[in-house]
């Protein structure tokens, strides 16, 4: 059999960015998104060649901007606030977990159609179980918040087999509605802030309170001995909630690991490769 040209002897081809597979994160604001850095690290580590940029879109303009991106050959997008429901409506096909979440954070060009997926819940669960080492089967979980961020993680949390999942929200009616929607999926109850109960093994802050500069104040009794407090926000935004949780004796984690894990799920959907995440989480924390 004739040997082909040795790879090392081939002339180097410099790809023009326009010919590379293009990805974006769409949001508003989007300037501080760490997704471009995360996906650049994944691409380097897996040997994939792609471009990943930020795309700032005005409220009300999501569908037009997304249509233009995919019509120009874009391969995929991450979608962040406030467009996850717009992305759900935009997708021509949806994964089961996106349908369950009622929101889409990942779009992928597939056979001429745009597929919508939601990797947030899987990202949270992977951070909790693989990175933080929590065993949540049979546990008591308190999920605080009933907006889009909370909705996206209820199904994946119930799939872990907790003994009880309480959804507590400042506006009780929204917690009632969310719990009702997931009742067939497992032992889920709703609560207001006055009656959320006590002794939870895991307390997840899925409210947007910290981003409004109004740190969430929970009674210390919500934490069981050895409990973990988790804020889906990361960095400075999560600090006040996590400091209070630590003062109440809980172990505390922000959502940086979730951010990297949901990105890894998106990368896997797009490129068929699952990047290693621990080194990326450590690098982002150090930065
Ligand atoms: P997201 O998509 O980020 O979840 P959202 O749908 O606007 O955004 O929901 C925000 C969530 O944070 C809600 O659960 C909201 O509670 P209400 O339904 O009562 O508004 C919660 N939230 C926002 N600010 C809060 C605060 N200061 N204290 C407690 N909960 C707060």
């Amino acid at each position: 059999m004739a040997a082909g040209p040795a790879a090392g002897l081939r002339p180097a081809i410099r790809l023009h960015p326009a010919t590379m597979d293009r990805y974006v994160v769409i949001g508003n604001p989007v300037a501080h998104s760490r997704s471009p850095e995360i996906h650049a690290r994944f691409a380097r580590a897996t040997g994939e060649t792609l471009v990943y940029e930020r795309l700032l879109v005005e409220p009300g303009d999501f569908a037009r901007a997304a249509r233009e991106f995919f019509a120009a050959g874009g391969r995929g997008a991450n979608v962040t606030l406030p467009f996850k429901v717009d992305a759900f409506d935009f997708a021509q096909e949806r994964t089961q977990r996106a349908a369950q979440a009622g929101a889409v954070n990942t779009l992928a060009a597939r056979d001429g159609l745009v597929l919508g997926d939601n990797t947030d819940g899987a990202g949270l669960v992977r951070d909790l179980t693989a990175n933080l080492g929590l065993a949540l089967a049979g546990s008591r979980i308190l999920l605080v918040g009933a907006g889009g961020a909370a909705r996206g993680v209820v199904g994946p949390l119930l799939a872990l087999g907790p003994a009880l999942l309480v959804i507590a929200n400042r506006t009780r009616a929204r917690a009632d509605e969310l719990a009702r929607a997931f009742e067939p999926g497992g032992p889920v109850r709703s609560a207001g802030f006055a009656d959320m109960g006590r002794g939870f093994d895991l307390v997840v802050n899925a409210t947007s309170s910290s981003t409004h500069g109004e740190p969430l104040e929970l009674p210390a009794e919500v934490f069981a001995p050895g409990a973990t407090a988790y804020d889906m926000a990361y960095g400075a935004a999560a600090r006040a909630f996590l400091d209070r949780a630590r003062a109440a004796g809980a172990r505390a984690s922000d959502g940086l690991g979730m951010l990297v894990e949901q990105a890894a799920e998106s990368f896997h959907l797009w490129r068929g490769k699952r990047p290693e995440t621990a080194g990326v989480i450590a690098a982002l924390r150090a930065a």
Side-chain angles (χ1 to χ4, degrees):
M1 195 191 284
L9 299 179
R10 283 196 202 121
I13 299 170
R14 219 184 132 75
L15 287 172
H16 185 274
T19 67
M20 298 209 283
D21 286 353
R22 283 185 62 225
Y23 297 85
V24 285
V25 53
I26 305 177
N28 189 336
V30 77
H32 294 102
S33 169
R34 302 191 82 174
S35 293
E37 180 189 348
I38 294 169
H39 284 281
R41 287 179 183 277
F42 288 166
R44 268 201 303 281
T46 56
E48 294 290 294
T49 304
L50 55 86
V51 184
Y52 189 111
E53 294 162 329
R54 296 181 179 87
L55 183 58
L56 176 69
V57 166
E58 292 308 315
D61 198 31
F62 179 85
R64 188 207 56 77
R67 206 175 299 118
E68 187 177 289
F69 171 74
F70 283 104
R75 303 300 307 156
N78 282 132
V79 182
T80 184
L81 295 178
F83 297 122
K84 291 185 186 185
V85 174
D86 299 76
F88 180 87
D89 293 336
F90 178 79
Q92 292 156 301
E93 285 181 347
R94 299 176 192 110
T95 62
Q96 199 196 345
R97 59 191 183 181
Q100 197 180 44
V104 156
N105 78 333
T106 307
L107 293 168
R110 278 283 163 88
D111 307 323
L113 293 177
V114 178
L115 173 71
D117 192 10
N118 192 315
T119 66
D120 285 331
L124 171 65
V125 163
R126 216 177 147 76
D127 196 34
L128 293 172
T129 57
N131 300 335
L132 299 177
L134 299 182
L136 293 166
S139 68
R140 289 166 53 83
I141 302 178
L142 175 64
L143 177 65
V144 188
R151 172 174 285 270
V153 302
V154 175
L157 285 175
L158 281 176
L160 292 170
L164 177 65
L165 172 64
V166 173
I167 302 172
N169 198 47
R170 181 177 60 180
T171 309
R172 170 74 191 254
R174 292 184 81 191
D176 293 344
E177 194 186 324
L178 190 53
R180 212 173 303 121
F182 282 90
E183 255 163 22
V188 58
R189 308 264 179 284
S190 59
F193 274 12
D195 62 344
M196 51 179 90
R198 49 168 56 225
F200 292 93
D201 304 299
L202 171 67
V203 177
V204 178
N205 181 10
T207 73
S208 57
S209 59
S210 52
T211 55
H212 300 146
E214 305 157 353
L216 187 64
E217 297 187 3
L218 299 182
E221 73 211 29
V222 300
F223 300 104
T228 298
Y230 192 97
D231 199 317
M232 285 169 56
Y234 58 86
R239 201 159 295 144
F241 170 72
L242 296 178
D243 281 350
R244 287 183 63 90
R246 274 190 207 99
R251 174 188 183 203
S253 175
D254 75 357
L256 188 69
M258 174 182 174
L259 177 77
V260 174
E261 296 295 348
Q262 63 80 28
E265 281 286 314
S266 300
F267 192 89
H268 181 249
L269 179 78
W270 294 330
R271 311 300 297 185
K273 291 183 180 174
R274 191 170 289 285
E276 185 274 336
T277 50
V280 177
I281 295 171
L284 261 67
R285 255 196 220 296

